[in-house]
Amino acid sequence: MRLIVVKRVKTSNLYYIGIPVLSILIGLVMSLLIFALIGVPPDLFIRGIASGFQSPQTLRYFALLVMLGVALTLSFRASIWNVGAEGQMIWGMIAGGYIALFVAAQSMYVSPGELANYASMPGVEVIDASPYAPVVSILLMDPSLGKLLMILFGMLAGGLWALIPAVLKAYLDIDEVATTLILNYVAYQLFSHIASYTLRGLSVQAKQFFRTDKANSALLFDLIRGTSVTIQDLVMAAVFFVAVILMYGYTTIGLRLKIIGSNPQLLRSVGVDERRYILLAMFLSGMLAGAAGVSIFASPGVGKLEKITNVVSPPTMNLGYIAILVSWLSMLDTRLVPIYAYIVASLFQGSSMLQLEINAISPGLLTGGALTYIPIGSILIVYVVLRILTDYSIRVRIR
Amino acid sequence: MKTQSLFSSKEELSFLRPIISVRNLWKRFPGVEALKNVSLDIFSGEIHAILGENGAGKSTLLKILYGIYVPDKGDLFFEDRKVVITSPRDAVKNGLVLVSQVPQLIDSLTVAENLSLSLRQFGYMSNVKKVSKFLSEKEKEYGVRIDPDVEVWKLSYTQKQLVEILRALLLDAKVIAFDEATTLLPQTEKEKLYEFMKTFKDKGGTVLLVTHKIPEAMEVSDRVTVLRKGEVIGTVKTSETTIDQIRYMMFGERLTQLNSYGYGKLSSWEGSETLTVRNLWVKSDYGVYAVRGVSFSVRKGEILGVAGVAGNGQLELIQALAGLRRVERGIIKLRINGSEINVTNKGSTLIRRLGIGYIPDEPVKKGVSLDNTIEENVAVHPKLSKFLISWRNVKSLASNLVREFSIVTPSTSAKAKVLSGGNLMKVLVARELTVSKLALVAYNPTRGLDEVSAHYVRRLIVNKAVNEGMCAVIASEDLDEIMEMSDVIVVMNSGSIVGVFKSGASREEIERVMVS
């Protein structure tokens, strides 16, 4: 018996919609079976997943996944497989955090007796009211300007981090899948070091744990009531989405980023240095991921950089990886990113909620987020299998 | 023209047995009827040429025979048995092996390994040693010499094609189909291939030769079938026909167009050199000097032809002129409106912006993007769109090009991959001529085009030189093409210019310098 695998010359148009939808459905059925096997009743599973679609928390993941999905689609479409959004987000957090903690504001010790005076001054926030060594944060600039700087520098840092694998690919022909992935873990380690030592805070808590001070709350983004998403998250997601679509539709840069994915030799032959476009694709992709990193830092629930104790649950919540699924389900079509970002965000939120519920009923069962990723992972696997089956025809011959 | 049958009586046919018969074949692609009721017999032991211009349906027919496409209607017979062929494997089982223009080999493996791979694929017992033995046998039979232990990437293009042929022999082919397989070969190598075909025929094999070159068909084939727009125009015995008759069958009424393509080139442009090259040294991909101290200059409105046997530095010279290859030594200068600009190693974008068009080697691979629309393939050029693309302008430019070059396409927003090879080439040439305000540099500018289209493209280049003062440097492996277009012909041999000829020089003299 032998298998004959042939790449199909033409693929059906139907698969554009069919594959993503089928992947999600089959993936969910698979997860349902997996959960059933470990003793989770199907109705609980269904309720858990369904709740994700209505949860107000979902919006936050949605906004982040739109930014990240657009970012990854930018590079994937240029045939550059950036799986380094995690690291780029991390650098967005570090740069945004640095601006918030040291440029737009500054924390300092004050004598306990003066604390009350400081507390009543405008632009000053008490970070640590310890009776021995109280710490306040003083705004050094208008907070809107501060937020803007955080975003800009976060984007710059993410973009620069992405340039490392880009340069390696463009000029030394080193595969970017490996380098972007490895650099994620380098970024995690650097992040931990920077949070623990370089930028370690003054407050008692910061000294006790390995982390920076909390940023001045005036510099954090503005929550939309009843949700965990901020206005800035949604605005950035919308701006990036529209900007990238316009870039593809109406600029030579966009056109060349598309063409580099289908035939880089054409760029070279019309006199365009295609290596620069590899750099550009990665830089833009890293910038958007960096912005998502700033969003995470500036979320009112975070506002600090803290040592990563477990690389399985970094502050980026693995969204940089989950966004790969968003980009793939969108079939690398930027216009579809928001739709699948919403679905994936809901599934992610739904499975997190399911995990909490399961832990509550039977604490002994798998913990540590393991269950959260089952639906996402199942969909990813089904997607890959379906893509192989549609991109290639596979026949079995029995001799 | 009336379709004629050459085999008037049944008796004449009786000793010839069709090895492949095609009956009433139909194939439709979106927007085009590629094959219309095609019927055809290939007789055992003949060299059968299938001629037709680009888009006539030759490739489609061959791809159906080889199991790459499935016909919409119609039947195939191999040795009188009705067969259904759904993959190349089926075709090979029935004794048909295809040799295409692009060698299908794995570069990092040796010749013997490549060959044993195809055996394994088709389920024979195989080992590399057997293959080596087989090769030495075939060497005696056909005079084809290839070292079985050399890695494929070290082989020349001709040698790779020979490996493909050896593979066909190894697979016990009864019919070897050559799909434009000689197009990229230099003349002397073509001769070798023709010799092979004849030997193969003498040993009882059958050859199916798909080509758009009439002289080639006339030289080797026993019979010729002409396709036009998906229909069989007729099958004739080569010995009983003439080039003119075949041309009439291929082009029909368009032939009158062809005959009016006189050049009568009278360049009236006075003035200084537009493009000057002084003592140019350029390295090849392998790090050795491929261009060694070449100097020339081209005046406004002048066409310089670069002749030579392929691989003597012409390609590297053209790439250096286009800014795509580093100049190690020497100078390339342009003169624009009276001022001289040194463009040596200044980057290809600058050169393109100054108004130099470029037709690359392997044009379809390097010069167009199949997954993008015709409009996008036009807008990608730095000279044709600014940072913000005005799609309205691009669309009207693209429509003009489509009309002017009679490019056959459903619309300008169709993806390039729906176009036939010749039409793709036209898109590329059209785009590059549009941007060639100053000069055009080209390598095989009409490769892959049928005779009428090739003439048309050449005339457009010449016209642009005569009417607008564009100058051109054109390297081509086709000496006739160079002789047809050039004001001055230089011959390159081993990286240097070894001869300079005025237009009207004798072909024999040029050829002598090429190979000396």
Side-chain angles (χ1 to χ4, degrees):
Chain A
M1 192 189 93
R2 57 184 65 226
L3 285 176
I4 299 165
V5 183
V6 183
K7 191 158 169 76
R8 283 184 212 268
V9 186
K10 273 194 301 185
T11 39
S12 150
N13 278 333
L14 198 67
Y15 93 147
Y16 210 71
I17 308 156
I19 291 184
V21 171
L22 270 182
S23 309
I24 293 168
L25 293 179
I26 300 175
L28 284 179
V29 171
M30 262 171 62
S31 327
L32 184 131
L33 294 176
I34 295 171
F35 275 89
L37 271 176
I38 52 178
V40 178
D43 62 314
L44 182 63
F45 175 82
I46 291 166
R47 255 189 295 124
I49 294 294
S51 66
F53 282 84
Q54 305 140 17
S55 163
Q57 313 298 323
T58 299
L59 273 178
R60 181 179 180 219
Y61 294 133
F62 165 72
L64 291 169
L65 284 176
V66 169
M67 289 185 233
L68 291 165
V70 170
L72 293 187
T73 306
L74 247 173
S75 76
F76 290 175
R77 239 177 131 161
S79 280
I80 302 166
W81 304 101
N82 174 19
V83 287
E86 282 284 306
Q88 292 142 21
M89 285 163 84
I90 286 283
W91 277 98
M93 288 186 75
I94 294 173
Y98 178 80
I99 299 286
L101 292 163
F102 297 94
V103 177
Q106 190 165 20
S107 17
M108 58 186 258
Y109 288 118
V110 292
S111 71
E114 291 173 326
L115 186 61
N117 292 341
Y118 275 103
S120 61
M121 282 162 68
V124 175
E125 190 184 18
V126 178
I127 298 289
D128 181 2
S130 139
Y132 307 105
V135 177
V136 296
S137 166
I138 302 171
L139 273 184
L140 301 178
M141 60 176 69
D142 181 71
S144 326
L145 178 62
K147 286 177 210 173
L148 193 64
L149 281 183
M150 285 160 65
I151 295 172
L152 291 179
F153 276 81
M155 290 176 76
L156 185 66
L160 289 176
W161 186 250
L163 274 184
I164 300 172
V167 168
L168 292 176
K169 179 183 172 70
Y171 294 93
L172 298 172
D173 206 16
I174 295 174
D175 184 64
E176 75 282 7
V177 176
T179 48
T180 49
L181 186 61
I182 291 167
L183 283 172
N184 286 344
Y185 296 91
V186 175
Y188 291 157
Q189 294 300 326
L190 288 172
F191 178 89
S192 287
H193 183 85
I194 288 169
S196 314
Y197 303 102
T198 325
L199 302 183
R200 193 165 188 181
L202 306 174
S203 63
V204 173
Q205 292 88 340
K207 289 290 173 210
Q208 223 161 17
F209 303 99
F210 289 97
R211 72 163 172 86
T212 64
D213 284 326
K214 243 185 111 54
N216 195 310
S217 54
L219 292 169
L220 300 182
F221 290 173
D222 306 300
L223 273 184
I224 294 174
R225 198 188 298 265
T227 70
S228 56
V229 75
T230 66
I231 296 169
Q232 285 86 346
D233 290 349
L234 290 176
V235 170
M236 278 201 283
V239 168
F240 293 158
F241 174 69
V242 173
V244 169
I245 295 231
L246 290 179
M247 181 188 80
Y248 273 133
Y250 297 99
T251 70
T252 37
I253 289 185
L255 175 61
R256 287 175 189 164
L257 286 176
K258 264 196 285 187
I259 286 182
I260 199 178
S262 38
N263 189 1
Q265 301 202 66
L266 169 59
L267 288 187
R268 176 166 280 213
S269 111
V270 295
V272 175
D273 187 346
E274 81 279 9
R275 290 170 301 193
R276 287 197 206 161
Y277 280 83
I278 294 180
L279 301 190
L280 183 67
M282 277 297 277
F283 186 68
L284 291 177
S285 187
M287 270 177 47
L288 301 195
V294 174
S295 261
I296 290 175
F297 172 83
S299 162
V302 183
K304 59 182 184 289
L305 309 176
E306 193 162 13
K307 182 180 175 178
I308 300 171
T309 46
N310 181 0
V311 286
V312 177
S313 45
T316 50
M317 299 174 283
N318 289 319
L319 290 173
Y321 296 125
I322 294 172
I324 297 173
L325 180 63
V326 174
S327 180
W328 281 3
L329 289 176
S330 312
M331 304 300 277
L332 308 192
D333 185 338
T334 312
R335 292 168 302 179
L336 299 179
V337 164
I339 298 172
Y340 290 104
Y342 178 71
I343 294 174
V344 173
S346 305
L347 294 174
F348 186 54
Q349 170 65 15
S351 7
S352 320
M353 287 161 68
L354 185 63
Q355 167 108 44
L356 289 178
E357 231 173 297
I358 293 169
N359 290 350
I361 332 170
S362 57
L365 218 57
L366 292 169
T367 52
L371 297 181
T372 314
Y373 296 104
I374 290 179
I376 301 278
S378 309
I379 294 170
L380 196 62
I381 290 174
V382 175
Y383 177 84
V384 171
V385 171
L386 288 180
R387 273 306 285 270
I388 291 174
L389 291 179
T390 46
D391 287 356
Y392 299 87
S393 83
I394 300 173
R395 274 174 294 166
V396 183
R397 291 237 175 178
I398 299 157
R399 304 201 308 128
Chain B
M1 168 157 190
K2 192 175 147 283
T3 303
Q4 54 193 66
S5 161
L6 285 152
F7 301 100
S8 39
S9 61
K10 279 279 174 204
E11 295 85 82
E12 232 179 307
L13 264 173
S14 58
F15 66 98
L16 288 167
R17 198 167 51 88
I19 186 158
I20 298 177
S21 294
V22 174
R23 287 289 171 266
N24 310 94
L25 214 55
W26 291 79
K27 179 73 186 174
R28 193 186 162 76
F29 292 115
V32 57
E33 199 83 61
L35 291 181
K36 292 181 241 176
N37 200 20
V38 166
S39 297
L40 181 68
D41 286 318
I42 316 282
F43 292 127
S44 181
E46 71 168 346
I47 299 180
H48 192 121
I50 295 183
L51 266 170
E53 58 177 325
N54 298 309
K58 307 181 300 277
S59 299
T60 309
L61 175 61
L62 199 56
K63 281 178 177 161
I64 287 175
L65 287 177
Y66 207 55
I68 294 166
Y69 295 149
V70 178
D72 299 336
K73 254 190 277 174
D75 297 316
L76 300 178
F77 298 88
F78 275 71
E79 296 179 312
D80 298 333
R81 278 175 296 112
K82 185 174 169 177
V83 288
V84 177
I85 295 192
T86 59
S87 78
R89 203 182 129 90
D90 294 336
V92 170
K93 269 194 176 160
N94 283 299
L96 173 69
V97 181
L98 178 76
V99 175
S100 70
Q101 207 174 75
V102 188
Q104 312 284 322
L105 301 168
I106 298 172
D107 277 346
S108 55
L109 299 183
T110 66
V111 171
E113 283 166 344
N114 262 290
L115 291 176
S116 63
L117 206 62
S118 48
L119 288 187
R120 198 180 297 268
Q121 186 189 343
F122 292 102
Y124 296 90
M125 291 292 285
S126 72
N127 63 50
V128 177
K129 251 187 215 153
K130 265 192 195 162
V131 169
S132 298
K133 188 167 156 264
F134 168 84
L135 282 179
S136 59
E137 272 169 28
K138 291 298 157 191
E139 186 188 331
K140 278 183 216 119
E141 272 181 63
Y142 289 94
V144 176
R145 225 206 106 58
I146 299 274
D147 179 358
D149 299 320
V150 72
E151 284 97 8
V152 163
W153 63 266
K154 293 178 184 159
L155 299 181
S156 71
Y157 175 74
T158 312
Q159 288 171 315
K160 285 184 192 172
Q161 287 296 61
L162 287 179
V163 175
E164 287 280 327
I165 290 170
L166 287 169
R167 164 144 71 198
L169 295 176
L170 196 55
L171 290 169
D172 257 340
K174 292 178 196 149
V175 184
I176 303 182
F178 293 88
D179 185 10
E180 309 274 5
T182 59
T183 308
L184 306 182
L185 294 174
Q187 190 60 37
T188 47
E189 309 286 351
K190 276 182 192 163
E191 306 279 338
K192 279 189 209 160
L193 210 61
Y194 297 156
E195 274 314 303
F196 166 82
M197 289 177 195
K198 286 172 188 160
T199 318
F200 183 63
K201 180 184 104 174
D202 292 342
K203 292 181 183 299
T206 307
V207 173
L208 189 57
L209 179 67
V210 173
T211 178
H212 57 253
K213 293 224 161 82
I214 302 173
E216 176 168 285
M218 296 299 284
E219 181 167 347
V220 283
S221 71
D222 299 313
R223 289 197 303 150
V224 178
T225 295
V226 176
L227 289 179
R228 186 164 83 215
K229 291 181 178 160
E231 288 178 274
V232 173
I233 299 301
T235 298
V236 292
K237 254 190 180 166
T238 313
S239 54
E240 292 169 5
T241 187
T242 61
I243 288 191
D244 285 339
Q245 191 189 358
I246 301 259
R247 273 167 64 174
Y248 190 81
M249 290 170 78
M250 269 174 84
F251 299 109
E253 299 311 316
R254 283 178 66 207
L255 195 63
T256 45
Q257 247 178 307
L258 185 69
N259 290 335
S260 64
Y261 287 173
Y263 291 119
K265 181 170 179 312
L266 278 172
S267 186
S268 55
W269 296 91
E270 292 291 319
S272 50
E273 290 91 20
T274 305
L275 171 69
T276 306
V277 172
R278 284 281 161 264
N279 191 27
L280 202 69
W281 289 73
V282 181
K283 281 182 176 167
S284 77
D285 285 343
Y286 305 106
V288 296
Y289 280 107
V291 176
R292 301 164 160 269
V294 164
S295 302
F296 59 79
S297 54
V298 192
R299 281 209 297 274
K300 205 169 162 69
E302 189 177 55
I303 295 180
L304 177 83
V306 181
V309 176
N312 275 291
Q314 306 95 308
L315 179 59
E316 286 81 1
L317 171 66
I318 292 293
Q319 288 175 339
L321 292 179
L324 294 172
R325 200 169 269 280
R326 226 186 94 79
V327 173
E328 304 290 332
R329 258 189 283 163
I331 293 180
I332 304 172
K333 278 186 299 190
L334 292 174
R335 178 177 284 275
I336 302 168
N337 303 329
S339 55
E340 272 203 342
I341 301 177
N342 182 348
V343 294
T344 322
N345 292 334
K346 290 280 166 59
S348 49
T349 312
L350 173 73
I351 292 179
R352 249 29 84 79
R353 288 233 170 89
L354 290 173
I356 307 262
Y358 171 56
I359 299 173
D361 61 303
E362 301 187 69
V364 171
K365 195 168 145 203
K366 295 181 178 171
V368 283
S369 174
L370 298 182
D371 283 331
N372 294 86
T373 64
I374 294 177
E375 287 160 25
E376 288 175 326
N377 271 293
V378 168
V380 68
H381 200 286
K383 207 173 163 68
L384 294 180
S385 58
K386 305 238 162 40
F387 175 74
L388 285 178
I389 301 173
S390 158
W391 286 110
R392 240 185 51 200
N393 293 352
V394 170
K395 200 179 180 67
S396 81
L397 173 61
S399 320
N400 283 343
L401 295 180
V402 163
R403 214 171 12 225
E404 199 182 325
F405 283 74
S406 39
I407 296 169
V408 182
T409 172
S411 83
T412 55
S413 52
K415 287 201 170 166
K417 64 178 160 199
V418 307
L419 302 191
S420 73
N423 280 308
L424 274 176
M425 183 72 193
K426 284 191 198 167
V427 170
L428 166 65
V429 172
R431 180 187 70 210
E432 294 304 320
L433 274 181
T434 309
V435 300
S436 305
K437 296 281 178 263
L438 215 54
L440 174 75
V441 295
Y443 193 85
N444 287 342
T446 61
R447 169 180 288 180
L449 291 182
D450 61 72
E451 202 178 346
V452 167
S453 305
H455 269 273
Y456 189 60
V457 165
R458 285 177 206 147
R459 191 181 62 159
L460 282 166
I461 295 175
V462 171
N463 280 353
K464 185 138 180 166
V466 172
N467 300 332
E468 297 173 35
M470 173 191 84
C471 74
V473 179
I474 290 166
S476 176
E477 288 159 22
D478 180 353
L479 187 53
D480 291 323
E481 171 163 282
I482 289 184
M483 297 192 56
E484 207 170 298
M485 302 171 73
S486 313
D487 299 297
V488 178
I489 298 169
V490 297
V491 176
M492 281 186 82
N493 198 338
S494 307
S496 307
I497 292 182
V498 294
V500 181
F501 299 85
K502 285 266 175 226
S503 75
S506 89
R507 193 191 158 99
E508 288 68 35
E509 186 58 20
I510 296 176
E511 277 178 335
R512 196 184 58 75
V513 179
M514 275 167 65
V515 295
S516 61

